[in-house]
Amino acid sequence: MIYYDFCAKLQKSIVSAKEKGELFFFYQRKAVPLHPNQPKYDMPQSLHIAIIGGGAAGFFAAIEAKRNFPHADITIFEKNSKVLAKVEITGGGRCNLTNSFDEISDLKQAYPRGHKLMKRLFKRFDYQHAYNWFEENGVPLVTQEDQCVFPQSQDSHSIIDCLVNTAKRLGVKIQCNHQLTAITELEDERLLLDFKVSKGNLSGASSASFQKASSASHPVSEIRQIAFHRVAITTGGHPKIENFKHLSDLGHAIEPPIPSLFTFNIADKAFKNLMGTVVEPVYTSIPGTKLKAEGPLLITHWGMSGPAVLKLSSHAARYLHENNYQIRISVNWVHESNRSLVEENIQGIIIANPQKQLANIRPYNLPSRLWLFLIQKMGYAPEKKWSEMGKKGCNLLIETLTNDLYQVNGKGAFKEEFVTCGGISLSNIDLHTLESKVCPHLFFAGEVLDIDAITGGFNLQAAWTTGYVVGQHIGE
């Protein structure tokens, strides 16, 4: 009898089965027994679970599944050579793993897409649960003034080590360099997975494997087919819809993936000369829409960055995509939406400093380089006296401070994009278990779903929450 497992020690069994004529040969994504009485896709009676994607959601789903279903055989399959690569670089290598949510009054502020589902799932596992989970598993955490939560070590490897060591201690297996290429529903309700396995990870290959033709210019790879009782897809977001083909082939609706966290390219050369300047906080918005954000803004050598821009890019992701990233952005430099209050402030400056030059008095304590730039942008000389502004000049100044317009000509390079919106349509998912309505025994967690968030630890929180929920139900 042949069991489809990964261990090299089963090679002797494979040889024995060949002699008995009981070995399966896989072709055209179907299994055909060479012996007429051999049962199809025979496997051990224990529950076999595959977690596809060795990221945050994948590890959390695997750990929780193993805790809830300890007798299940659980394996994480990662297409790259190492797991948790995205966790390693998030938060500048410090891992912004969640947020206190103290400044979030409505989840739509943090989750432009998927906020209704997140509100539902937070009743079962929210940011406080995540905070407690990591501390209980040996990772002390700290909350910054901006409400972002980091490991006390300020090192993402504290989170990585926690997840990997916990998974291994529980008996979760980890296989790298395994890329899922196809999923087939079997008659016995199991799922047959096709993996492309790169050279160096071929030991213990199942009898359902065959060697892929290769040349000297391409690395050797193998296609392996393995059947599982339950499968969770936790592969994260993908920049191209083609990467969802094996899921759309099963009948899932895919929301087109597009970038949702990126910086803005600004055409104004004089503005970009202010690179390195940080203004905190500001309001950003897109004229003619209700899209807006707030937070620090960083001026870079290519344009604008910082939370005020990244948040806006997330909320406006589809609008920006539809407009080919050619839009106008409004910046309220003084973080005051009440124009009358700004006018009172300016009039107070004029009364108190009538003979002072514009350059010497900075409204709202704006950075000096930015203030000089704004003076010149309005067409005034830095030496102009405040008493000479006049009503027209005051109105222009107030407009510039509260509604300063810039032309956006494109977004930042792809390397800066950590998040995409789009993915598996939530209409195809059971909102309680996160199991597919289209393909039984197939579950989803993390960014592969059409859920995404602004910067600040919210995307990783979605990974912990959805991974936890999958781990609660995948073995049922």
Side-chain angles (χ1 to χ4, degrees):
M1 187 70 70
I2 299 302
Y3 299 136
Y4 299 106
D5 209 336
F6 314 114
C7 303
K9 65 183 181 181
L10 292 186
Q11 293 301 310
K12 290 183 180 180
S13 299
I14 294 174
V15 173
S16 174
K18 284 182 178 179
E19 296 173 351
K20 296 178 182 179
E22 297 175 341
L23 180 63
F24 291 125
F25 174 65
F26 286 77
Y27 70 98
Q28 295 181 345
R29 296 174 63 198
K30 293 184 178 180
V32 179
L34 296 182
H35 190 286
N37 297 320
Q38 177 72 19
K40 292 184 178 182
Y41 314 110
D42 196 14
M43 292 178 63
Q45 294 303 309
S46 62
L47 193 68
H48 282 240
I49 299 175
I51 308 293
I52 311 301
F59 267 85
F60 222 70
I63 289 169
E64 289 305 311
K66 191 65 176 177
R67 284 177 170 169
N68 286 292
F69 312 99
H71 298 297
D73 183 89
I74 301 176
T75 304
I76 296 173
F77 293 94
E78 167 58 41
K79 70 176 182 179
N80 297 311
S81 60
K82 68 176 183 178
V83 296
L84 297 164
K86 190 171 178 180
V87 172
E88 184 177 28
I89 61 175
T90 184
R94 297 185 297 137
C95 190
N96 179 193
L97 71 155
T98 187
N99 193 284
S100 73
F101 282 72
D102 282 354
E103 297 179 355
I104 301 297
S105 58
D106 183 340
L107 283 184
K108 190 173 184 180
Q109 295 173 267
Y111 296 96
R113 288 151 291 272
H115 61 280
K116 292 182 180 179
L117 175 59
M118 293 305 299
K119 182 178 182 179
R120 179 188 185 116
L121 300 183
F122 269 13
K123 295 177 182 178
R124 299 163 64 186
F125 193 88
D126 65 5
Y127 45 92
Q128 190 60 58
H129 292 114
Y131 193 105
N132 294 339
W133 190 97
F134 280 100
E135 290 219 316
E136 290 168 1
N137 283 275
V139 184
L141 304 178
V142 294
T143 304
Q144 297 184 162
E145 290 184 6
D146 61 2
Q147 308 308 315
C148 294
V149 177
F150 290 86
Q152 193 176 80
S153 65
Q154 299 293 300
D155 187 347
S156 62
H157 290 94
S158 296
I159 302 299
I160 294 171
D161 292 345
C162 171
L163 294 171
V164 172
N165 293 338
T166 301
K168 288 184 176 180
R169 176 172 53 80
L170 291 172
V172 175
K173 303 171 187 176
I174 302 172
Q175 291 278 333
C176 291
N177 296 303
H178 279 64
Q179 181 177 1
L180 179 67
T181 58
I183 302 174
T184 304
E185 296 180 82
L186 303 178
E187 291 180 1
D188 62 2
E189 296 188 346
R190 280 178 287 177
L191 299 173
L192 183 66
L193 307 184
D194 288 21
F195 291 100
K196 179 180 179 182
V197 188
S198 63
K199 183 178 180 180
N201 290 272
L202 306 184
S203 62
S206 74
S207 59
S209 304
F210 64 88
Q211 196 70 22
K212 184 178 180 180
S214 63
S215 64
S217 60
H218 293 86
V220 176
S221 63
E222 177 194 64
I223 299 299
R224 297 174 62 182
Q225 291 183 308
I226 314 170
F228 289 91
H229 298 95
R230 304 285 188 276
V231 176
I233 304 296
T234 62
T235 49
H238 298 289
K240 297 180 180 179
I241 198 167
E242 292 81 9
N243 297 118
F244 291 92
K245 186 177 186 304
H246 58 287
L247 299 173
S248 61
D249 285 347
L250 291 172
H252 294 99
I254 309 298
E255 298 294 339
I258 58 173
S260 67
L261 274 182
F262 47 85
T263 59
F264 293 162
N265 295 337
I266 302 296
D268 192 329
K269 292 182 179 179
F271 178 79
K272 290 185 287 188
N273 287 335
L274 300 174
M275 60 181 175
T277 299
V278 178
V279 189
E280 182 177 6
V282 305
Y283 289 122
T284 55
S285 61
I286 299 177
T289 75
K290 295 182 179 181
L291 300 165
K292 59 184 179 180
E294 64 180 305
L297 184 147
L298 169 65
I299 301 175
T300 69
H301 66 275
W302 65 87
M304 295 181 183
S305 185
V309 170
L310 295 174
K311 291 177 184 178
L312 185 63
S313 75
S314 180
H315 285 285
R318 296 217 175 270
Y319 177 88
L320 290 164
H321 179 74
E322 291 166 1
N323 286 275
N324 199 30
Y325 306 98
Q326 304 289 319
I327 56 107
R328 289 179 52 114
I329 181 175
S330 169
V331 181
N332 183 318
W333 295 110
V334 298
H335 195 247
E336 177 54 72
S337 57
N338 189 322
R339 185 184 174 94
S340 296
L341 293 179
V342 178
E343 184 176 1
E344 287 179 15
N345 185 286
I346 298 303
Q347 290 298 330
I349 292 176
I350 294 174
I351 293 172
N353 306 277
Q355 299 305 310
K356 293 288 183 68
Q357 296 179 357
L358 294 181
N360 294 335
I361 303 294
R362 293 176 287 131
Y364 293 87
N365 201 31
L366 291 173
S368 56
R369 284 203 298 161
L370 174 63
W371 175 232
L372 288 174
F373 167 79
L374 294 177
I375 291 173
Q376 294 170 351
K377 184 179 182 182
M378 291 185 290
Y380 297 139
E383 299 81 15
K384 185 180 181 70
K385 294 179 180 180
W386 277 95
S387 60
E388 299 172 350
M389 287 293 287
K391 185 175 181 179
K392 184 177 180 180
C394 285
N395 288 335
L396 177 59
L397 174 56
I398 294 168
E399 182 68 12
T400 301
L401 293 176
T402 61
N403 186 31
D404 196 17
L405 299 175
Y406 295 88
Q407 178 64 39
V408 174
N409 289 337
K411 57 183 177 60
F414 180 74
K415 65 181 180 179
E416 298 165 3
E417 295 160 11
F418 292 91
V419 178
T420 57
C421 68
I424 301 297
S425 173
L426 299 184
S427 64
N428 288 173
I429 305 299
D430 183 308
L431 302 183
H432 180 70
T433 64
L434 300 185
E435 182 178 7
S436 169
K437 294 179 180 178
V438 175
C439 178
H441 309 317
L442 182 65
F443 294 74
F444 296 94
E447 204 182 323
V448 70
L449 292 165
D450 186 25
I451 302 173
D452 66 284
I454 62 175
T455 184
F458 301 103
N459 281 294
L460 274 180
Q461 180 58 56
W464 312 136
T465 297
T466 55
Y468 175 87
V469 171
V470 166
Q472 294 287 304
H473 297 284
I474 196 168
E476 294 176 345

